Amino acid sequence: MTERVPLERKVLNENARIAEELREKFQKRGILCLNIISSPGSGKTTLLERTLASLPKGDRVAVLTGDIQTDNDAARLRRFGFPVKQITTGGTCHLDARMIQKHLEDWDLDNLDLLLIENVGNLVCPSSYDLGEDAKIVVLSVTEGEDKPLKYPSIFFKSDLLILSKVDLLPYVPFNIDEAAENARKIHPEIEVLRLSCQSSEGFQEWMDWLNKRRTEAKSRIAQAVV
Ligand SMILES: Nc1nc2c(ncn2[C@@H]2O[C@H](COP(=O)(O)OP(=O)(O)O)[C@@H](O)[C@H]2O)c(=O)[nH]1
Ligand SMILES: [Mg+2]
């Protein structure tokens, strides 16, 4: 244990350095970068599919999607005509900044306004790794239990937005959605909360409004920097 702590710190310091370089590149160009995190199966890829389907053709959007094995998610997301890359971590339970840097090498960032990152399905490890994003988004589906913000506080503390997903299932599962939101606010009082179903489309417009607001803010930051 005494050996492990300094090594972990070194890895995280190195990650923070690369993440800061990435953040600078994104901010200089007004790119909004979002890091989407949840347990496996909470609906990250489905949300990205719906999002890409609703964006205009030629929109300056790209997706990086992380997984331990397989490129299934990238195959699902490529159908919409935007640049998509799979990052297969080969066992690692999170994405790190170096993986993002490497996978962005042959993309011209000047052609991008929005970079969506789907992290590896895991509520714990991804919360420790800054990817240079503007914001982390945590997705919690209604089948996972309203206590999860209390059990996995770090990711709820670090996320700007909580998406409570699969709300179409609420009639069938004992899940107190107000309590889930309340638990998240105990950990992070300013966290924004959205209720979403990709099945019924409830909350989808609110999600797109949130996304568009953040895109506009990212752009206006470079305008201010230029003035
Ligand atoms: N009922 C319901 N099922 C959903 C919803 N969103 C996703 N799913 C299902 O949940 C499963 C996992 O979704 P996926 O997007 O692959 O989750 P990921 O592992 O977080 O990327 C799939 O069978 C989806 O069809 C939703 O809003 N409502
Ligand atoms: Mg997925």
Side-chain angles (χ1 to χ4, degrees), residues 21-204:
E21 281 176 25
L22 287 170
R23 182 168 290 111
E24 212 171 291
K25 282 186 185 170
F26 298 151
Q27 290 189 346
K28 217 167 74 187
R29 295 169 174 84
I31 298 171
L32 175 69
C33 174
L34 298 172
N35 179 3
I36 304 171
I37 297 168
S38 80
S39 303
S42 304
K44 299 179 294 303
T45 311
T46 309
L47 172 60
L48 289 174
E49 288 177 302
R50 286 291 311 271
T51 304
L52 296 182
S54 76
L55 290 173
K57 264 200 175 63
D59 201 354
R60 293 155 50 95
V61 178
V63 183
L64 294 176
T65 179
D67 222 333
I68 291 179
Q69 299 288 344
T70 86
D71 66 351
N72 294 357
D73 286 356
R76 282 168 62 183
L77 293 166
R78 266 192 207 108
R79 299 179 295 139
F80 301 94
F82 299 102
V84 175
K85 268 193 205 172
Q86 182 79 47
I87 305 178
T88 308
T89 65
T92 306
C93 56
H94 58 266
L95 295 177
D96 64 33
R98 191 180 291 283
M99 296 176 196
I100 303 298
Q101 187 183 47
K102 184 166 164 276
H103 284 81
L104 288 179
E105 260 166 14
D106 60 346
W107 274 354
D108 184 358
L109 293 184
D110 290 334
N111 290 332
L112 273 192
D113 286 336
L114 175 62
L115 177 64
L116 297 162
I117 303 175
E118 174 180 354
N119 217 311
V120 176
N122 187 322
L123 275 182
V124 183
C125 312
S127 78
S128 301
Y129 288 81
D130 185 357
L131 304 182
E133 72 274 344
D134 283 87
K136 290 184 173 63
I137 296 174
V138 58
V139 182
L140 178 70
S141 66
V142 303
T143 56
E144 292 173 67
E146 55 279 277
D147 59 340
K148 293 306 170 290
L150 303 178
K151 284 189 161 181
Y152 304 101
S154 175
I155 187 55
F156 292 87
F157 181 70
K158 290 182 180 173
S159 294
D160 285 15
L161 175 67
L162 162 62
I163 295 181
L164 291 165
S165 64
K166 308 194 189 181
V167 294
D168 56 287
L169 298 179
L170 277 173
Y172 314 105
V173 288
F175 181 86
N176 185 329
I177 196 158
D178 293 330
E179 197 181 322
E182 193 52 37
N183 285 340
R185 289 196 186 101
K186 276 184 195 151
I187 304 297
H188 182 183
E190 287 83 33
I191 196 167
E192 293 180 74
V193 182
L194 268 179
R195 300 167 183 222
L196 177 81
S197 167
C198 286
Q199 194 75 16
S200 71
S201 295
E202 180 181 341
F204 186 73

